[in-house]
Amino acid sequence: MRQLGFFRVKATNVSVSDGEDNLTVTPEQIVLLHCIASALDEWATDTSATAMDCPLGGASGQQTIIKSCQFLADESKTLRQTIRGINCSAEAYAGEISCRLNAYLSILEMLGTMLSSDDSSKAKDHVFCRIYLGKETSLLADVIVELGILVDELSVANRGVKARELRIDDHDQRLAVACVRLIGNICYKCPSNQDRVRETEVPFPGGVPFRAPDGTAVVRCGLHVLLSCTSFSYGCFTLREWALVAIRNVLDGNQQNQDMVAKLEAQKTVDTPELNKMGVKTVIDDQGRVRVEPRG
């Protein structure tokens, strides 16, 4: 049924909004999401599977897959708004907020998986999904900003802590990896999405402007946030590895992004107020590798 395009019909049971600004996520919906995610993981890693086998409606054609991905992107936006308090409603039952967080994470992971394959039998659909989601939804910009918020929260939580003693709880690790993986996969060989990473401005904590020593205003974009993620390698090695993959995909074939990183390389360090408070700096060596060092 999923392959024939009934994913969104089933997913009406996953939809978090009833159309009247009421939001409730149940444990049963989480189970359903996990089942769909498991099927998607199997499809993405099965070298014998084709686009028609895609659990998001592959047997019904490319447009059905794209509509399923848009549905997931829209649901992630709704969930994020409630989690971040933009459009928050009270818990419908004890623990419902936790279910919202779980649903949000599951959807980000599903989208990251859907956009991950470079298999020749599936690549065409992946390319169209990347382009469509980047241009027709706010998914990429939302995830970049979400990652920026998380990076700032982790920096504050680990203020004064030595790099080797960084601690990131399981939820934050999962969210950070899901965001970075999705950014990297949606930008793979997709110039318009690569540009969006550079063009998306990420506010500093509290919306307070940050100024360089010469007094000029500093604008933080998605590239800065991705580079900052490598500073958490001791707290989550997987995050660092995915950040390096994402940076590669965002820079690949994109001269403007490469030029921006080259300027940062010339400065030798990529600084944010949060990294400064932590006593660490992100260093880019002559080969373009990013590493974290104690601030001298």
Side-chain angles (χ1 to χ4, degrees):
M1 289 180 68
R2 295 189 304 266
Q3 295 168 3
L4 291 172
F6 286 97
F7 164 74
R8 283 176 296 123
V9 175
K10 284 178 172 288
T12 56
N13 296 320
V14 176
S15 180
V16 297
S17 176
D18 62 7
E20 298 179 358
D21 296 326
N22 297 319
L23 182 146
T24 303
V25 180
T26 68
E28 291 79 10
Q29 290 171 317
I30 300 302
V31 172
L32 179 56
L33 275 173
H34 286 178
C35 289
I36 298 171
S38 178
L40 193 60
D41 285 337
E42 290 180 7
W43 171 77
T45 56
D46 185 353
T47 57
S48 65
T50 67
M52 290 189 65
D53 300 315
C54 178
L56 301 188
S60 294
Q62 184 183 92
Q63 288 303 311
T64 300
I65 294 177
I66 289 175
K67 288 179 180 178
S68 294
C69 287
Q70 181 173 13
F71 169 83
L72 289 172
D74 291 342
E75 292 298 290
S76 72
K77 184 179 183 69
T78 301
L79 284 164
R80 179 178 180 274
Q81 289 176 336
T82 65
I83 293 167
R84 288 298 177 187
I86 301 171
N87 182 27
C88 189
S89 58
E91 281 191 318
Y93 59 88
E96 198 250 338
I97 295 296
S98 178
C99 282
R100 295 184 199 179
L101 289 168
N102 202 318
Y104 179 60
L105 287 168
S106 293
I107 289 175
L108 292 184
E109 289 167 347
M110 289 169 65
L111 287 167
T113 298
M114 180 61 211
L115 302 171
S116 65
S117 179
D118 192 35
D119 189 301
S120 59
S121 64
K122 308 168 188 173
K124 184 177 180 181
D125 293 293
H126 288 293
V127 170
F128 276 103
C129 283
R130 290 178 186 123
I131 295 172
Y132 183 87
L133 290 175
K135 289 186 175 181
E136 301 299 329
T137 76
S138 62
L139 175 67
L140 179 53
D142 289 343
V143 171
I144 290 171
V145 173
E146 178 65 27
L147 183 61
I149 293 172
L150 180 59
V151 165
D152 293 337
E153 291 176 344
L154 293 175
S155 298
V156 171
N158 286 281
R159 184 180 299 170
V161 176
K162 295 180 180 179
R164 291 181 179 275
E165 298 174 355
L166 288 174
R167 293 292 181 268
I168 306 176
D169 65 35
D170 291 343
H171 169 270
D172 286 342
Q173 287 191 38
R174 185 181 172 195
L175 176 57
V177 170
C179 288
V180 171
R181 177 175 178 247
L182 196 156
I183 292 170
N185 288 344
I186 200 172
C187 289
Y188 181 68
K189 296 183 179 180
C190 186
S192 59
N193 290 343
Q194 292 173 334
D195 290 340
R196 180 68 64 87
V197 174
R198 184 186 68 254
E199 295 165 355
T200 298
E201 184 174 342
V202 182
F204 288 108
V208 179
F210 177 71
R211 295 191 176 278
D214 62 2
T216 58
V218 174
V219 176
R220 182 171 61 159
C221 72
L223 275 174
H224 294 93
V225 172
L226 281 177
L227 290 169
S228 295
C229 286
T230 62
S231 67
F232 297 101
S233 58
Y234 287 109
C236 180
F237 181 76
T238 305
L239 173 59
R240 176 185 179 277
E241 294 305 296
W242 273 112
L244 294 177
V245 171
I247 291 167
R248 180 198 65 192
N249 289 352
V250 170
L251 298 183
D252 185 31
N254 191 302
Q255 191 60 51
Q256 287 181 287
N257 285 358
Q258 292 174 19
D259 289 345
M260 174 174 281
V261 172
K263 291 179 181 178
L264 296 173
E265 181 181 350
Q267 299 167 4
K268 288 301 177 185
T269 61
V270 181
D271 280 329
T272 69
E274 293 69 38
L275 292 179
N276 185 47
K277 292 175 183 176
M278 291 171 60
V280 298
K281 59 185 177 181
T282 305
V283 178
I284 307 175
D285 64 22
D286 293 336
Q287 284 72 49
R289 294 188 295 265
V290 183
R291 66 179 186 275
V292 176
E293 293 182 353
R295 188 176 298 277

